[in-house]
Amino acid sequence: MFIGTYIHTIDNKKRINLPSKLAALLDKNLYVSKGFDNCLEIRQEKEFRAWVALLGNSNNLGSNRRQVARVALGKSAQISVDSANRILIPVNLLDDAKIVKDVVIAGMGDSIELWDKDTYENYIKTAEPKFEAIADQIANGGANE
């Protein structure tokens, strides 16, 4: 399980050094995709396949689900972890998430999120004050977003 938040810097070759605690849990081959809220999501193959299955066959979905599938899968790439625990993220995905230098690596259970540091800090500033109220709503069967 991936947990914790780490701050790293992208090197000149656009590589991100993964924290050893996370790298130890990762397969060599991974998938990176455009995520929600201006982040990127990294999944191992098993989780990526499950996520693709959740999106379903876009030929049989409504237009909103087709749109999500097209964007999410069209903005995905297979990546690998090198011997120094670094990953190379395609430039177009870094640009989408506005990640230039400082990157937040956040464990999300079965996936990892990559954020621009400033974007992440602003997001957390907005999200933390709502944390308990939203948790209460979810526990009571509401706000299941």
Side-chain angles (χ1 to χ4, degrees), residues 32-34 48 51-53 55-56 58 66-77:
V32 60
S33 304
K34 179 178 177 60
F48 186 75
W51 182 67
V52 169
L55 294 175
S58 63
R66 278 195 312 273
Q67 183 176 356
V68 170
R70 286 179 184 133
V71 171
L73 296 177
K75 294 198 175 212
S76 291

Side-chain angles (χ1 to χ4, degrees), residues 8 14 19 23-24 40 46 54 63 69 73-75 86-87 102 105 109 111 115 135 138:
H8 284 249
K14 305 295 184 198
L40 300 176
K46 179 181 175 187
L54 180 66
S63 62
L73 296 177
K75 294 198 175 212
R86 296 174 301 200
I87 53 174
D102 294 324
I105 303 166
S111 65
W115 291 76
I138 292 168

Side-chain angles (χ1 to χ4, degrees), residues 14-145:
K14 305 295 184 198
R15 297 175 300 194
I16 299 170
N17 189 24
L18 294 172
S20 57
K21 287 182 181 182
L22 296 182
L25 301 172
L26 288 170
D27 297 333
K28 183 175 176 157
N29 293 311
L30 307 169
Y31 293 85
V32 60
S33 304
K34 179 178 177 60
F36 301 101
D37 303 313
N38 255 356
C39 75
L40 300 176
E41 298 174 347
I42 296 176
R43 292 179 177 83
Q44 300 194 84
E45 185 166 354
K46 179 181 175 187
E47 287 76 17
F48 186 75
R49 287 184 181 277
W51 182 67
V52 169
L54 180 66
L55 294 175
N57 181 345
S58 63
N59 292 332
N60 297 323
L61 301 175
S63 62
N64 287 340
R65 292 194 67 185
R66 278 195 312 273
Q67 183 176 356
V68 170
R70 286 179 184 133
V71 171
L73 296 177
K75 294 198 175 212
S76 291
Q78 188 173 14
I79 60 173
S80 59
V81 181
D82 71 13
S83 60
N85 291 335
R86 296 174 301 200
I87 53 174
L88 177 65
I89 305 294
V91 173
N92 66 312
L93 294 177
L94 291 173
D95 290 347
D96 280 350
K98 297 177 178 49
I99 298 172
V100 177
K101 184 173 173 145
D102 294 324
V103 60
V104 172
I105 303 166
M108 293 293 293
D110 64 354
S111 65
I112 296 169
E113 291 183 341
L114 302 178
W115 291 76
D116 166 73
K117 183 177 178 264
D118 291 337
T119 302
Y120 181 81
E121 288 173 351
N122 288 333
Y123 179 85
I124 291 299
K125 242 186 246 181
T126 303
E128 277 188 336
K130 304 174 196 174
F131 175 73
E132 288 185 30
I134 292 172
D136 285 342
Q137 286 179 340
I138 292 168
N140 293 318
N144 59 0
E145 293 183 8

